[in-house]
Amino acid sequence: VCDSDDCGAAELLLVGPEFRQAAGKYAANLHTLYRSFSSSVEAAKTVREIIQPGDVLLVKGSRGMRMERLIEALENKETKS
């Protein structure tokens, strides 16, 4: 149970046209900062820039959206550091 204001996601990365449309429709109800991307390739470029050591990243999506690209982008970031 979380009783503080800093519980939950610090930011949502929404990928795909359906999420982009939903974000536009429900943006006023979202209490979390979010970014919307048309593809996992686009999101992968951003995730490398914003994720910091100690951050927790939950990647949830379909294989059709190729969400594993986000993990691959982070793995490549670590090997280049």
Side-chain angles (χ1 to χ4, degrees):
V1 177
C2 185
D3 294 325
S4 68
D5 290 336
D6 63 348
C7 295
E11 185 170 358
L12 298 172
L13 304 180
L14 306 172
V15 179
E18 290 86 5
F19 272 122
R20 179 169 285 195
Q21 185 177 19
K25 186 175 181 179
Y26 299 108
N29 296 325
L30 288 175
H31 300 290
T32 301
L33 175 66
Y34 74 93
R35 300 179 200 206
S36 180
F37 303 94
S38 59
S39 71
S40 59
V41 172
E42 189 181 330
K45 291 175 186 175
T46 299
V47 78
R48 279 197 323 248
E49 297 169 5
I50 64 172
I51 198 86
Q52 299 295 317
D55 286 352
V56 175
L57 175 67
L58 169 66
V59 177
K60 171 70 176 101
S62 69
R63 295 292 307 219
M65 289 300 299
R66 304 273 325 264
M67 298 302 291
E68 65 272 11
R69 290 177 174 155
L70 278 71
I71 304 304
E72 292 165 359
L74 291 174
E75 290 173 340
N76 290 335
K77 178 182 176 180
E78 286 179 6
T79 58
K80 292 179 182 178
S81 297

